[in-house]
Amino acid sequence: MFVILLRLLLIIFILFLIYSGFKYLFNPKRKLELAHEQKQFHFLDDKENVRKNFLLTYKGVLFEGEKYLGTTTHSFEVVSIFIWAKATSSLQGLTLEDFSYVEDQIKKRYPHAKIDWKSPIKELLVKKREK
């Protein structure tokens, strides 16, 4: 009886390990972290949930964007996005073209949205566009 119970517990433990491994491998946040470490572009968003902020990484910088729902001529869409860098110290080396690329990627997903950057990126973009 004890041996059967021990085998059953061992099987349950092995199934739990396999389940945990699959859950870890297919976690979207893990893909974001991997892209962040490798300084690649990755966009993590729950498009169905407007209240949930999106995360994106580009050239080793992690950005967070806050979405706001509004009306367009025919429907309710995300009409405004505020975006900022999680760590402003990591912005070193980024250029105006890099921020334009990030804006283009956001516009692909939210074509009706007006994108506003928070400080200090906002000041940089205003200075560069005035020249």
Side-chain angles (χ1 to χ4, degrees), residues 14-126:
I14 290 171
L15 289 175
F16 174 74
L17 286 178
I18 292 171
Y19 170 76
S20 298
F22 277 113
K23 197 169 180 182
Y24 172 76
L25 286 176
F26 295 108
N27 186 347
K29 283 215 176 205
R30 189 185 73 79
K31 292 179 183 178
L32 178 77
E33 291 169 1
L34 186 63
H36 182 68
E37 289 172 6
Q38 296 175 351
K39 298 187 178 192
Q40 297 174 342
F41 179 82
H42 186 74
F43 197 94
L44 177 63
D45 184 24
D46 183 2
K47 200 165 172 112
E48 301 299 319
N49 188 354
V50 178
R51 294 182 179 187
K52 189 173 182 182
N53 293 354
F54 65 80
L55 296 170
L56 71 90
T57 182
Y58 180 66
K59 290 191 175 182
V61 181
L62 185 62
F63 296 98
E64 185 171 354
E66 191 171 359
K67 305 175 281 190
Y68 292 96
L69 191 66
T71 57
T72 61
T73 54
H74 299 290
S75 64
F76 286 98
E77 300 286 339
V78 173
V79 294
S80 180
I81 294 175
F82 286 100
I83 186 167
W84 64 93
K86 295 284 254 178
T88 55
S89 60
S90 62
L91 291 172
Q92 183 176 350
L94 289 184
T95 63
L96 183 61
E97 291 80 28
D98 294 326
F99 294 111
S100 295
Y101 176 78
V102 170
E103 283 183 1
D104 291 342
Q105 293 300 316
I106 295 169
K107 281 287 192 184
K108 284 181 184 177
R109 290 158 177 87
Y110 299 104
H112 302 289
K114 177 183 178 282
I115 299 171
D116 291 315
W117 294 86
K118 292 190 178 179
S119 289
I121 301 167
K122 182 178 183 178
E123 287 80 12
L124 171 74
L125 295 177
V126 168

